[in-house]
Amino acid sequence: EMVLTQSPGTLSLSPGERATLSCRASQSVGNNYLAWYQQKPGQAPRLLIYGISSRATDIPDRFSGSGSGTEFTLTISRLETEDFAVYYCQQYGTAPTTFGGGTKVEIK
Amino acid sequence: QVQLVQSGAEVKKPGASVKVSCKTSGYTFSNYYVHWVRQAPGQGLEWMGFINPNDGRTTYAQRFQGSLTVTRDMSTTTVYMELTGLSADDTAVYYCAKATRFLQYFETWGKGTTVTVSS
């Protein structure tokens, strides 16, 4: 199965700073089928991005996704306090669908 | 609006089985696959399997073959996840999630059901 490796494991930043999260796939992601989710403690994941760069409903434009092939990035242009959370990438182009191990964005 | 409402927390002994329900509403049940994803304490997300409510066909992750059964009830638009032969490693929060019409990413999630396996 396709392995997704997220880095860094933890990102310590201050509100207002830019966050850059990486997701690397063990093989090319078919049809650019890559999504990003945000998860806060005690909550279910929330879809942020699908198809590498399309924002889900009601997701603010400070969240953006980019990349191709095996390298993908989630960028949060200016961190708000509510953005401190864990972020997961998911590929759904090759069965079985798989998730990355997550990146925690914490307040510095 | 689209909602997935899961059943309550469960505590089970090793070797037992657990059945978790996911009551759906707000959309055409037969048109969207429903998946199950679990998360062990402090760990990441693990995909388990899904059901096509239209015909009841299922697909499971290899590691759950033989222990996982996902079913649906069309009359109540509810999906069920049953896991047998529980061990402490199955202690986790279990989520149901609705996929999109044609692609298997997850627009809507249930709030999760905590399953604790302990002797």
Side-chain angles (χ1 to χ4, degrees):
Chain A
E1 67 180 38
M2 190 181 302
V3 176
L4 300 181
T5 302
Q6 292 188 240
S7 61
T10 302
L11 201 50
S12 298
L13 295 168
S14 300
E17 289 193 296
R18 181 184 187 92
T20 303
L21 288 66
S22 173
C23 175
R24 175 175 294 177
S26 59
Q27 57 190 278
S28 186
V29 174
N31 296 303
N32 295 328
Y33 287 164
L34 188 107
W36 290 92
Y37 300 85
Q38 176 193 67
Q39 187 179 34
K40 297 179 180 178
Q43 296 185 17
R46 173 195 182 197
L47 177 67
L48 297 175
I49 301 284
Y50 62 93
I52 295 181
S53 60
S54 297
R55 274 187 299 276
T57 304
D58 295 331
I59 300 303
D61 61 7
R62 65 179 180 272
F63 291 92
S64 63
S66 62
S68 64
T70 62
E71 301 278 348
F72 303 92
T73 300
L74 175 70
T75 301
I76 311 171
S77 59
R78 289 181 319 279
L79 283 164
E80 305 271 347
T81 52
E82 63 263 31
D83 299 336
F84 291 92
V86 180
Y87 293 83
Y88 295 95
C89 56
Q90 176 216 4
Q91 69 80 22
Y92 50 98
T94 300
T97 185
T98 49
F99 291 92
T103 291
K104 181 180 182 180
V105 179
E106 64 176 23
I107 299 178
K108 188 174 182 179
Chain B
Q1 76 279 24
V2 176
Q3 284 192 303
L4 281 67
V5 179
Q6 298 187 224
S7 50
E10 302 266 10
V11 179
K12 296 292 182 182
K13 294 201 181 303
S17 300
V18 68
K19 192 169 186 177
V20 177
S21 66
C22 174
K23 165 68 177 166
T24 74
S25 61
Y27 69 97
T28 304
F29 180 65
S30 58
N31 285 355
Y32 300 85
Y33 294 5
V34 174
H35 293 242
W36 289 89
V37 176
R38 76 178 185 179
Q39 186 171 37
Q43 302 301 308
L45 303 170
E46 181 179 24
W47 176 76
M48 300 177 68
F50 70 84
I51 189 166
N52 178 348
N54 187 50
D55 57 16
R57 287 197 286 185
T58 54
T59 299
Y60 304 136
Q62 189 166 10
R63 68 170 292 177
F64 296 108
Q65 297 277 357
S67 63
L68 174 65
T69 303
V70 178
T71 56
R72 92 305 191 202
D73 182 332
M74 298 292 286
S75 66
T76 61
T77 64
T78 300
V79 175
Y80 298 91
M81 185 281 299
E82 183 173 25
L83 196 60
T84 61
L86 293 170
S87 71
D89 290 344
D90 295 312
T91 293
V93 178
Y94 289 76
Y95 295 102
C96 59
K98 170 185 167 289
T100 68
R101 183 76 189 265
F102 301 109
L103 297 173
Q104 306 312 310
Y105 62 90
F106 310 126
E107 293 179 312
T108 308
W109 296 66
K111 291 188 185 303
T113 296
T114 299
V115 175
T116 304
V117 183
S118 174
S119 55

